[in-house]
Amino acid sequence: QVKKLPKHLREPQIPTDRTHLISDPVKKPRQRYVQKDGKCNVHHGNVQETYRYLSDLFTTLVDLRWRLSFFIFTLVYVVNWLFFGFLWWLIALIRGDLLHADEEGWTPCVENLNSFVSAFLFSIETETTIGYGYRVITEKCPEGIILLLVQAILGSIVNAMMVGCMFVKISQPKNRAETLMFSHKAVISVRDNKMCLMFRVGDLRNSHIVEASIRAKLIRSQQTKEGEFIPLNQTDINIGFDTGDDRLFLVSPLIISHEINEKSPFWEMSRAQMEKEEFEIVVILEGMVEAT
């Protein structure tokens, strides 16, 4: 019977792009609200009150990218050293230390300070407390003593702010989240005679997350009974809030379950509707790291 078939039917069929599209249509990639790595795919545009970012300068510096953070970190210190170096050079210029530096019996404000470069180096040595011992302030310079106190106090504030900013940026929660694993797919199955939506979460580190809690949100556009269209409406998905199952002891991987009952947003969805429906489930795990 195979030999009786025409030649073009006896030969193995090579799928082409046209047959592939007809038999297995490729779905268009959906624009996600939250990426798989946990980053929110939301970009703020047309923000007019940008001055509000400067009112919370510390958080703004923490949220910057690493290359901008390093640039600002370096720029702040260099500008600070240059500013106080200019003040030390200005004091030496006003007192006449630059002109009478080589004269015997002349007591300068800062010994061995004879140019702007040496003033800049003295500013760095003062703020970083290096103390090479070559340039030193004398006791017959009250304006220099006052400037020394001001630079020491402001230098401590700058160090506290910049080092604290870098520490917070290094220890951000998104770095800890790299070892938290979620199941790639959620399943709907019968569990204890109940239809449930289930997924799995686990922690790879030995240091546990203290007071871990989990919650889920259904993000879907909705139209109210009055005809109002609400884009990206957020609805809570009950994953054990009333029973306390949302409080996790995350030592080993756990299966998180949501019962599809009358109160569930999936209660009126059929399987065919769920495949066509445009929605997204965002799972949020919160807790404190035991080590820090």
Side-chain angles (χ1 to χ4, degrees):
Q1 294 178 355
V2 176
K3 293 181 179 180
K4 294 180 180 180
L5 293 175
K7 183 178 180 181
H8 68 278
L9 293 179
R10 283 188 275 116
E11 294 179 352
Q13 298 295 319
I14 301 175
T16 62
D17 294 338
R18 184 176 181 85
T19 58
H20 177 70
L21 291 174
I22 294 175
S23 60
D24 187 15
V26 179
K27 295 183 179 180
K28 295 182 179 180
R30 295 182 180 180
Q31 188 174 6
R32 299 183 58 88
Y33 187 72
V34 178
Q35 300 292 345
K36 282 290 187 180
D37 56 358
K39 297 180 181 178
C40 293
N41 193 20
V42 178
H43 302 280
H44 299 282
N46 196 20
V47 179
Q48 298 178 356
E49 299 180 354
T50 55
Y51 66 90
R52 295 182 179 271
Y53 293 107
L54 298 178
S55 61
D56 188 9
L57 185 60
F58 185 81
T59 306
T60 303
L61 292 176
V62 172
D63 291 339
L64 290 177
R65 296 183 178 181
W66 273 108
R67 56 178 178 267
L68 290 177
S69 297
F70 282 123
F71 175 75
I72 294 177
F73 185 87
T74 306
L75 184 64
V76 167
Y77 278 105
V78 172
V79 170
N80 188 34
W81 294 335
L82 286 173
F83 173 72
F84 282 102
F86 173 77
L87 294 181
W88 286 113
W89 175 81
L90 187 63
I91 290 176
L93 180 64
I94 295 175
R95 285 174 52 90
D97 295 341
L98 300 179
L99 299 176
H100 306 282
D102 298 332
E103 295 182 5
E104 296 183 0
W106 181 266
T107 304
C109 183
V110 179
E111 294 182 356
N112 300 312
L113 193 151
N114 49 22
S115 64
F116 178 77
V117 176
S118 60
F120 175 67
L121 293 176
F122 179 73
S123 175
I124 298 176
E125 295 168 10
T126 301
E127 191 162 331
T128 57
T129 65
I130 294 177
Y132 288 124
Y134 181 70
R135 298 178 185 89
V136 59
I137 188 172
T138 59
E139 69 277 3
K140 295 183 180 181
C141 183
E143 59 272 22
I145 296 175
I146 295 175
L147 182 58
L148 179 65
L149 294 175
V150 173
Q151 184 175 5
I153 295 173
L154 291 182
S156 300
I157 296 175
V158 170
N159 289 332
M161 184 174 180
M162 300 310 298
V163 174
C165 176
M166 285 297 174
F167 175 77
V168 173
K169 192 172 182 62
I170 292 173
S171 61
Q172 277 186 320
K174 62 182 180 181
N175 299 326
R176 178 63 176 86
E178 296 295 331
T179 54
L180 289 173
M181 303 297 294
F182 289 85
S183 53
H184 294 284
K185 296 181 180 179
V187 297
I188 295 179
S189 180
V190 178
R191 195 180 196 189
D192 294 333
N193 296 325
K194 299 176 183 178
M195 190 68 71
C196 298
L197 170 69
M198 294 176 287
F199 58 91
R200 206 174 193 188
V201 60
D203 190 7
L204 299 180
R205 288 190 177 274
N206 293 327
S207 59
H208 302 153
I209 295 181
V210 184
E211 297 184 4
S213 61
I214 193 168
R215 53 195 176 99
K217 291 282 188 178
L218 174 66
I219 300 178
R220 178 180 57 173
S221 300
Q222 182 182 359
Q223 189 171 4
T224 62
K225 297 180 180 180
E226 293 79 12
E228 179 186 2
F229 180 76
I230 304 177
L232 301 177
N233 183 50
Q234 298 183 9
T235 306
D236 282 327
I237 298 177
N238 188 2
I239 50 178
F241 178 77
D242 49 352
T243 60
D245 291 338
D246 60 334
R247 312 292 293 183
L248 305 180
F249 182 52
L250 197 59
V251 178
S252 60
L254 300 176
I255 297 178
I256 311 301
S257 177
H258 163 66
E259 180 183 349
I260 302 178
N261 50 24
E262 293 84 356
K263 299 180 180 180
S264 173
F266 305 106
W267 177 252
E268 297 181 355
M269 285 189 190
S270 63
R271 178 175 179 179
Q273 290 177 345
M274 189 169 291
E275 292 178 353
K276 297 179 181 180
E277 192 75 22
E278 292 286 343
F279 66 90
E280 187 173 340
I281 300 175
V282 179
V283 180
I284 304 169
L285 177 65
E286 297 174 324
M288 295 182 294
V289 181
E290 183 183 28
T292 59

